[in-house]
Amino acid sequence: MSSAATKVAQSQPQPAAEALPARPDTPVRQATDYSSYRVVAAKYPWRWVGTAVVALGVLAVAWSLATNPRWEWGVVAQWFTAQSVVKGLVETLKLTAISGVLGFVLGFILALMRLSASPLLVSVSWTFSWIFRSTPLLVQMLLWYNLGYLYEKISLGIPFTDVRFFEVQTTTLISQFAAAVLGLTLNQAAYSAEIIRGGILSVDQGQLEAAAALGIPAWRRSTRIVLPQAMRAILPTAFNEIIGLVKGTSIVYVLAYSELFYTVQVIYNRTQQVLPLLLVATLWYIVITSVLSVFQYYIERHYSKGAVRNLPLTPLQKARKFFATHAAVPNRRNF
């Protein structure tokens, strides 16, 4: 009987602790009224000093660019959209696109070879990256262009037999454009392979083991688990490589191929307007890399989903937030 009464007593809810009565000699604390207080903005004098110094420096550079007649902005404007310059620009973009795509495809294959369990594939991939990263791009370019001195003909057939399916003169096949694409692609592939391999290795192996334990097929593990996470590590460096490739196409001038830099050289050798024409090439390279940087920002933002709680703001969202914040300040001050 006593045990049943104890269980009933334990099952009943415990009464809330009674509030202790206030002691008569304890003063009652009144809530402070802040409505009459004036909101004073924080002052950052050194920030304003630094801003003023930087602004003066920017104004001095802009004034020099605008008032120094030796920049010859009229000549720059004349040649900036000239047909020959635009044609050279198109050739630069063509070299960048073809070499970039082929370089990253070949780099992806080399990365998989390096990560395979085959000692031969690992050795070939390592040797390829070692050779092409150890020699200057200029030397590689000249070697490919002069390949005809080593091999008079290039043929496709069954090795160690006389069976030939295709045969052509090397000097006919390796033109200036072919040598440029070959040199840029193979050099880019060596660097891309290491970038992709590093991105794949950055994914935690425990996730793959867990996915394998759940019975997820290897293809889905690679495309749904490894690749999305590896892309976050690959993309920033890969875009840096593409931006470097855009500028690296200028080295093709040694082959006398009419890309942007070579075209500008031909023009200023004829007109003797060296600095304005170099400025034309500089401005076009800045335009190309700026457009690539915008693409890089949005693609990195896309692949950051799942890694960050809040996606980085776009420039338009930042502008809206800036104006909304500064528009609300007077209202708070008035309050």
Side-chain angles (χ1 to χ4, degrees), residues 121-184:
L121 295 181
V122 172
S123 301
V124 170
S125 176
W126 181 87
T127 306
F128 182 94
S129 299
W130 171 58
I131 291 176
F132 282 93
R133 290 196 303 166
S134 303
T135 52
L137 178 58
L138 178 62
V139 176
Q140 297 175 30
M141 205 78 71
L142 293 174
L143 280 174
W144 290 121
Y145 188 60
N146 295 287
L147 189 64
Y149 289 101
L150 297 175
Y151 301 98
E152 186 179 352
K153 295 180 180 179
I154 294 178
S155 58
L156 178 64
I158 300 176
F160 309 111
T161 64
D162 294 332
V163 179
R164 299 285 185 272
F165 304 116
F166 173 78
E167 190 173 76
V168 66
Q169 291 286 335
T170 305
T171 52
T172 304
L173 184 64
I174 306 296
S175 62
Q176 296 163 320
F177 178 74
V181 170
L182 197 58
L184 292 172

Side-chain angles (χ1 to χ4, degrees), residues 91-309:
E91 294 300 320
T92 295
L93 294 176
K94 189 194 301 182
L95 283 175
T96 304
I98 295 175
S99 304
V101 171
L102 294 179
F104 273 93
V105 170
L106 182 57
F108 181 71
I109 296 172
L110 289 170
L112 295 182
M113 290 171 60
R114 186 75 181 275
L115 295 172
S116 71
S118 169
L120 178 60
L121 295 181
V122 172
S123 301
V124 170
S125 176
W126 181 87
T127 306
F128 182 94
S129 299
W130 171 58
I131 291 176
F132 282 93
R133 290 196 303 166
S134 303
T135 52
L137 178 58
L138 178 62
V139 176
Q140 297 175 30
M141 205 78 71
L142 293 174
L143 280 174
W144 290 121
Y145 188 60
N146 295 287
L147 189 64
Y149 289 101
L150 297 175
Y151 301 98
E152 186 179 352
K153 295 180 180 179
I154 294 178
S155 58
L156 178 64
I158 300 176
F160 309 111
T161 64
D162 294 332
V163 179
R164 299 285 185 272
F165 304 116
F166 173 78
E167 190 173 76
V168 66
Q169 291 286 335
T170 305
T171 52
T172 304
L173 184 64
I174 306 296
S175 62
Q176 296 163 320
F177 178 74
V181 170
L182 197 58
L184 292 172
T185 298
L186 295 180
N187 186 74
Q188 186 60 51
Y191 288 93
S192 303
E194 293 303 301
I195 294 171
I196 295 171
R197 186 176 69 90
I200 294 174
L201 291 177
S202 68
V203 180
D204 185 13
Q205 293 298 310
Q207 297 185 28
L208 296 179
E209 295 171 1
L214 292 173
I216 298 176
W219 173 253
R220 293 194 65 187
R221 290 201 300 268
S222 301
T223 56
R224 299 299 182 89
I225 297 175
V226 176
L227 196 58
Q229 298 183 75
M231 291 297 283
R232 285 197 289 268
I234 292 172
L235 280 176
T237 316
F239 265 98
N240 282 336
E241 284 295 317
I242 294 175
I243 289 173
L245 182 61
V246 173
K247 296 177 288 185
T249 55
S250 62
I251 207 168
V252 178
Y253 84 94
V254 297
L255 305 179
Y257 184 72
S258 57
E259 45 78 42
L260 177 61
F261 184 58
Y262 180 77
T263 304
V264 164
Q265 280 186 315
V266 171
I267 295 173
Y268 72 61
N269 284 332
R270 189 177 71 244
T271 63
Q272 299 302 312
Q273 295 168 323
V274 179
L275 192 59
L277 267 302
L278 288 177
L279 198 55
V280 168
T282 303
L283 291 176
W284 273 121
Y285 284 123
I286 290 175
V287 169
I288 297 171
T289 54
S290 301
V291 172
L292 288 175
S293 299
V294 172
F295 280 110
Q296 177 183 4
Y297 176 81
Y298 281 99
I299 292 177
E300 285 183 14
R301 185 174 183 272
H302 172 76
Y303 279 100
S304 66
K305 294 176 181 177
V308 294
R309 294 184 183 277

